[in-house]
């Protein structure tokens, strides 16, 4: 809380796109930053850019093709409702491959460590790969390479001046 604005507070929470959309609909939050969207009627999605995705895993640089890289690998995911998990599942399905298994990790750094040890593969943003010093990654074919980023509000929600400023800043990130 601010002494000059006692009724204003900011709380940051994280979660899957599905969770953030649910929090918005329930009125628990006013604004969400998401990767991808569900196109729910009750919500308005403001596009703010895109993010490049890559596959990480021990064999990423030495494997010749995406299909070979996917073969017999465990899918490492943050949560079963994670958008990245559903995209990775679509990639597997498009290549007619079933993942050996799925392991829900829940902690991003652990997911990266398991991938680097050869215990599976994960889909992450290229920005995160750079931030965490990941050098073993495979770029994806164009149809899977990018994911859209959005600021999301309830359909008739009016942004406050501070939220409008946040929205403008988010478009340049």
């Amino acid at each position: 809380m601010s002494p000059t604005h006692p009724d204003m507070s900011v709380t940051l929470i994280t979660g899957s796109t599905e969770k953030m959309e649910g929090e918005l609909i329930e009125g628990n939050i006013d604004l969400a930053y998401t990767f991808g969207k569900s196109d729910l009627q009750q919500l308005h999605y403001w596009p703010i850019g895109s993010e490049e995705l890559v596959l990480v895993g021990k064999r990423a640089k030495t494997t010749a093709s995406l299909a070979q890289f996917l073969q017999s690998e465990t899918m490492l995911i943050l949560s079963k409702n994670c958008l990245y998990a559903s995209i990775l599942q679509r990639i597997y399905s498009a290549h007619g491959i079933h993942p050996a298994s799925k392991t829900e990790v829940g902690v991003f750094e652990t997911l990266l460590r398991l991938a680097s040890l050869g215990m599976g593969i994960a889909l992450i943003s290229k920005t995160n790969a750079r931030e965490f010093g990941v050098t073993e990654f495979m770029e994806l074919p164009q149809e899977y390479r990018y994911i859209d980023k959005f600021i999301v509000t309830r359909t008739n929600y009016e942004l406050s001046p501070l939220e409008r400023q946040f929205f403008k800043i988010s478009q340049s990130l």
Side-chain angles (χ1 to χ4, degrees), residues 1-10:
M1 275 210 220
S2 163
T4 56
H5 301 283
D7 295 334
M8 184 186 297
S9 69
V10 175

Side-chain angles (χ1 to χ4, degrees), residues 27-86:
N28 297 327
I29 61 175
D30 296 321
L31 186 91
Y33 181 86
T34 68
F35 290 95
K37 63 179 183 168
S38 301
D39 279 327
L40 299 172
Q41 294 276 348
Q42 307 96 311
L43 301 177
H44 184 78
Y45 299 85
W46 308 83
I48 57 169
S50 63
E51 186 75 33
E52 185 174 357
L53 303 177
V54 295
L55 278 173
V56 296
K58 189 170 185 160
R59 300 181 309 121
K61 280 193 171 179
T62 59
T63 306
S65 74
L66 176 59
Q68 287 175 325
F69 188 49
L70 296 172
Q71 199 66 43
S72 303
E73 288 286 355
T74 297
M75 266 179 62
L76 301 172
I77 59 175
L78 289 174
S79 75
K80 61 182 171 239
N81 294 327
C82 175
L83 180 64
Y84 287 12
S86 65

Side-chain angles (χ1 to χ4, degrees), residues 13 20 37 41 56 74 95 115-116 145 167-168 170 172:
I13 60 173
M20 296 295 97
K37 63 179 183 168
Q41 294 276 348
V56 296
T74 297
H95 287 83
S116 73
R145 186 170 292 180
F167 179 81
K168 286 180 184 175
S170 295
S172 64

Side-chain angles (χ1 to χ4, degrees), residues 113-130:
R113 184 71 179 135
L114 293 174
S116 73
L117 291 171
M119 298 179 74
I121 62 173
L123 185 67
I124 67 170
S125 75
K126 195 170 191 178
T127 301
N128 283 146
R130 286 188 192 121

